[in-house]
Amino acid sequence: MSYLLFEVWAEDETGHLELVDTTASQKEAFDLAKKCLEDGYISTTVYQENEEGESVVIKQFQNSPT
């Protein structure tokens, strides 16, 4: 049995990327990505690891400019 994993990466205003978490739940990954935007990150990206072990972007979230 194989598990597909989701990675949540967040980018701050200086362009620094940080791995926030890895989860087996797409819903949890999306919720984490949205929470990061509320916490002040400018963008977040959710990647899904496919069966070959490659990470593929499945969703990007952006904060609206203020």
Side-chain angles (χ1 to χ4, degrees):
M1 177 187 246
S2 67
Y3 295 95
L4 299 181
L5 296 177
F6 299 88
E7 293 181 347
V8 179
W9 287 83
E11 181 180 1
D12 66 17
E13 66 279 349
T14 66
H16 174 76
L17 291 172
E18 178 179 344
L19 176 61
V20 176
D21 204 354
T22 302
T23 179
S25 165
Q26 181 178 355
K27 180 184 181 325
E28 182 180 359
F30 286 0
D31 289 346
L32 284 167
K34 292 173 187 174
K35 174 81 169 80
C36 287
L37 295 180
E38 294 171 5
D39 291 345
Y41 287 95
I42 62 169
S43 69
T44 55
T45 305
V46 178
Y47 294 85
Q48 180 179 10
E49 184 181 272
N50 64 23
E51 292 181 7
E52 290 79 37
E54 300 170 348
S55 293
V56 179
V57 174
I58 60 167
K59 183 85 174 179
Q60 291 184 307
F61 299 88
Q62 298 281 328
N63 249 339
S64 300
T66 55

